[in-house]
Amino acid sequence: ASIDTTGREAVNEHAKRQPLVLVPNHRSYFDCLILSWLFYQNFLVPPHIVGRENMAFGPFGFLFRRAGAFFMRRKLDDPLYKEVFRAYVSYLVREGFTQEFFIEGARSRTGKSLAPRMGILSWDVEAFLRSRRRDLLFVPIGITYERLVEEGSMVDELEGAEKTDESMLGLVRARRFLRSRFGSVHIHFDEPISLAQALGTRREAFHEPASEDVERDKRRFIESLAYRIVERINWSLAANSTSVAASVLLGHPYRGMRRSEFVRRMQWTVELLRAQHVRLTGPLEGDEGDYRDSLSFLANASLVHIEDDPRGEIVYFDETRRRALDIYRNAIAHYLATPSFAARALLGECSRKQLEEDVERAQSIFEHEFFAARSDERRGDTARVLAHFARKGWARERDGLWRATEDGEPFLRSLSEQTRGLIEVYAAVCDVVLEQGGALSRKELTRLATARFERARMLGEAERSEALNPTTLANALDWLVRAQVVVREDRKSVV
């Protein structure tokens, strides 16, 4: 596989002056290997990587440790074990070693970013507060794969199969497959986040033995920093031909379309992404026009098929590939979220104020699905999206009301479908809460919501089967907790 990087040179310069903490997204167990290789190739000391103990298998565990990796148990229920790790992280910060950890904790199986885990981040912050370091730089990193080696196992797990343990044989096979038919990898190193600047005048207050109020403020600071990092990771991801094609195919009401229509919708989507200043991979930009290479890659990967027809070639996918396509579509789902919510409003009619309120409400509900950087100028906000729709002639204002044009309706309808599955899953969870009432365990609520969703599919009330997965169900429940519709009594039960 070819590896394309952006922003690496700036990180190289930062590494010469201040200690770095690399914080990439986590989609593949190749993530850490690729970053270590890049550092080694650029004459930088590879990072010390925090990994789960499941990756310490066979001789690779021995090699990873010699390369700087150290492994943690999944549960830190032994106080002494936990304190040893805290001390080691503190040592790395104090001595200025480059670190790397995955803030999502585990690999995402859906292709979307997971909510951040605070553990390692809080240890780094505490270690910095106790040190004499002038600064500690967190580097958000977006890694985008044209195709994931773990695609098959991810689909199996989303469909209910048990997670398989990593093994030496699996890694060797995956490495061979990556070289032969898994395309390119794009890595963007975002501008580092200065911990000293983020702390500001709070550094001294947080360092001293603190009252409960100060400790609460510190926890809030760490949580805010964690979400800021995840947002920056999300907006570092590049759009590639696989993710754009997946969004085009899943936004269509049928499994197939004419090749000419597929190309036209690819062009529309790329234009929309550009309007939001989304980074595009080199292969995607180089294939603009007929997207011949993109289709060839997708066909060779069995993600799509191309069939001859007297009226023009047909591009289609097998129903069994729906979840795989959803994984790739989810790599850019956060870029399509605001356009999707806006398109949903424009397919009716609404004032600009109503449209902005609808989009803002949807962003709040689905906050943990997309981690939109609301304060970031790079965010695809409603005004920018609406301006693009108007410029393309897809939406028009008349008598103070906005609505889709006849020419724009097909694409806006396709955009509206990008978030339909999420709405269907959240609706199923809400229905169960309203129907059941009383105390329910998280496990029982998830089981009932899954059954409710499947019944809705039988009745034609839900159509997007690929949207149903444990992560989205958990996010829907967490939203109800944040909205104070339900109360969490402990980690396993809700009321």
Side-chain angles (χ1 to χ4, degrees):
S2 61
I3 299 175
D4 179 33
T5 65
T6 53
R8 179 176 51 78
E9 294 78 8
V11 170
N12 291 353
E13 292 302 313
H14 284 297
K16 297 174 183 177
R17 295 189 294 272
Q18 300 293 349
L20 303 179
V21 181
L22 310 180
V23 194
N25 61 325
H26 200 12
R27 301 295 177 270
S28 169
Y29 47 62
F30 280 96
D31 297 335
C32 57
L33 298 177
I34 290 172
L35 291 178
S36 293
W37 180 83
L38 283 174
F39 266 61
Y40 178 78
Q41 287 292 311
N42 288 277
F43 307 102
L44 296 171
V45 177
H48 292 255
I49 307 165
V50 184
R52 291 292 184 188
E53 62 181 353
N54 59 304
M55 289 302 295
F57 55 85
F60 285 99
F62 176 85
L63 293 174
F64 290 158
R65 284 190 176 93
R66 295 304 181 273
F70 55 103
F71 300 102
M72 294 174 52
R73 296 173 186 167
R74 191 169 295 276
K75 293 184 179 180
L76 300 179
D77 46 7
D78 183 338
L80 177 59
Y81 184 86
K82 183 176 180 178
E83 193 56 38
V84 168
F85 265 91
R86 288 173 63 98
Y88 185 61
V89 170
S90 182
Y91 164 77
L92 294 177
V93 172
R94 186 173 65 250
E95 297 301 318
F97 289 105
T98 299
Q99 297 178 55
E100 179 187 335
F101 75 95
F102 300 104
I103 199 165
E104 297 169 277
R107 282 188 298 117
S108 170
R109 269 56 173 183
T110 65
K112 285 189 291 190
S113 293
L114 304 175
R117 304 288 183 90
M118 308 299 165
I120 303 298
L121 179 63
S122 66
W123 293 357
D124 273 321
V125 172
E126 292 282 3
F128 176 73
L129 292 171
R130 292 193 299 268
S131 74
R132 296 179 179 273
R133 285 277 165 196
R134 292 197 310 273
D135 209 349
L136 183 65
L137 303 180
F138 291 93
V139 184
I141 302 172
I143 306 177
T144 309
Y145 293 88
E146 206 159 16
R147 193 176 178 211
L148 288 159
V149 175
E150 299 90 343
E151 175 195 300
S153 63
M154 290 167 71
V155 170
D156 290 343
E157 288 177 41
L158 289 172
E159 293 180 345
E162 291 293 324
K163 179 184 181 297
T164 56
D165 292 334
E166 287 77 10
S167 66
M168 182 178 69
L169 181 59
L171 188 60
V172 170
R173 284 175 174 171
R175 186 168 179 264
R176 174 168 55 86
F177 291 151
L178 185 66
R179 282 181 170 177
S180 61
R181 57 189 178 94
F182 278 77
S184 62
V185 182
H186 182 89
I187 303 174
H188 177 71
F189 294 82
D190 204 25
E191 184 66 25
I193 298 172
S194 163
L195 182 54
Q197 289 182 10
L199 284 166
T201 58
R202 291 172 289 191
R203 180 173 184 177
E204 186 174 344
F206 286 172
H207 172 65
E208 299 298 328
S211 64
E212 288 186 10
D213 288 342
V214 174
E215 286 298 320
R216 184 174 61 251
D217 288 343
K218 188 192 298 184
R219 287 194 297 272
R220 287 175 177 169
F221 168 80
I222 292 171
E223 182 176 345
S224 175
L225 177 61
Y227 278 94
R228 183 181 172 192
I229 291 171
V230 172
E231 290 167 0
R232 293 273 292 274
I233 290 171
N234 243 14
W235 289 81
S236 295
L237 295 172
N240 59 27
S241 57
T242 314
S243 58
V244 174
S247 71
V248 166
L249 291 165
L250 294 177
H252 197 58
Y254 312 111
R255 290 191 298 114
M257 64 185 78
R258 300 287 175 197
R259 183 174 187 141
S260 57
E261 180 66 15
F262 173 84
V263 169
R264 181 161 53 248
R265 289 175 182 247
M266 288 282 289
Q267 292 169 341
W268 287 345
T269 306
V270 168
E271 289 175 358
L272 175 61
L273 294 171
R274 276 208 175 100
Q276 298 178 88
H277 309 300
V278 174
R279 189 173 294 102
L280 307 179
T281 62
L284 176 59
E285 287 191 298
D287 199 28
E288 286 188 75
D290 58 8
Y291 294 101
R292 184 176 301 276
D293 291 342
S294 299
L295 266 176
S296 177
F297 176 80
L298 293 168
N300 288 335
S302 298
L303 288 168
V304 303
H305 302 286
I306 303 172
E307 185 166 311
D308 290 331
D309 185 86
R311 294 171 294 172
E313 286 182 319
I314 298 172
V315 178
Y316 72 98
F317 65 92
D318 292 333
E319 190 64 28
T320 57
R321 306 301 281 153
R322 183 175 287 277
R323 279 198 185 273
L325 288 168
D326 188 52
I327 290 171
Y328 295 113
R329 188 262 304 274
N330 283 342
I332 60 170
H334 51 294
Y335 297 133
L336 299 177
T338 295
S340 179
F341 298 137
R344 190 174 296 277
L346 290 167
L347 289 169
E349 62 177 19
C350 58
S351 67
R352 179 167 185 147
K353 182 180 178 182
Q354 289 173 322
L355 186 146
E356 290 173 346
E357 289 175 350
D358 286 351
V359 172
E360 186 175 353
R361 187 181 305 111
Q363 288 172 334
S364 177
I365 293 171
F366 299 107
E367 179 182 4
H368 287 187
E369 301 291 343
F370 303 116
F371 296 102
R374 299 187 178 186
S375 61
D376 196 318
E377 292 181 357
R378 295 170 301 178
R379 171 177 162 262
D381 59 23
T382 310
R384 185 180 298 140
V385 168
L386 189 58
H388 179 71
F389 289 168
R391 189 165 54 250
K392 296 295 295 182
W394 295 338
R396 180 183 300 122
E397 183 184 20
R398 180 181 297 171
D399 299 328
L401 295 177
W402 282 86
R403 58 178 63 84
T405 64
E406 184 177 351
D407 289 341
E409 184 175 343
F411 186 52
L412 295 188
R413 196 164 297 283
S414 173
L415 282 175
S416 72
E417 290 295 316
Q418 304 301 325
T419 52
R420 177 172 181 162
L422 288 177
I423 294 171
E424 292 173 347
V425 173
Y426 276 54
V429 174
C430 290
D431 285 346
V432 169
V433 170
L434 290 172
E435 291 166 1
Q436 296 295 317
L440 283 173
S441 70
R442 177 181 283 267
K443 183 177 181 180
E444 180 66 7
L445 195 149
T446 298
R447 185 187 68 79
L448 291 171
T450 300
R452 178 70 180 82
F453 182 86
E454 294 298 346
R455 290 197 299 273
R457 285 187 62 209
M458 293 178 194
L459 298 171
E461 299 168 352
E463 297 180 8
R464 298 298 177 179
S465 59
E466 69 274 11
L468 184 66
N469 59 71
T471 299
T472 304
L473 288 166
N475 286 342
L477 181 54
D478 289 341
W479 167 66
L480 290 174
V481 172
R482 293 197 308 276
Q484 299 181 339
V485 175
V486 299
V487 177
R488 182 185 287 117
E489 290 186 340
D490 54 50
R491 297 184 69 88
K492 295 183 178 179
S493 63
V494 295
V495 177

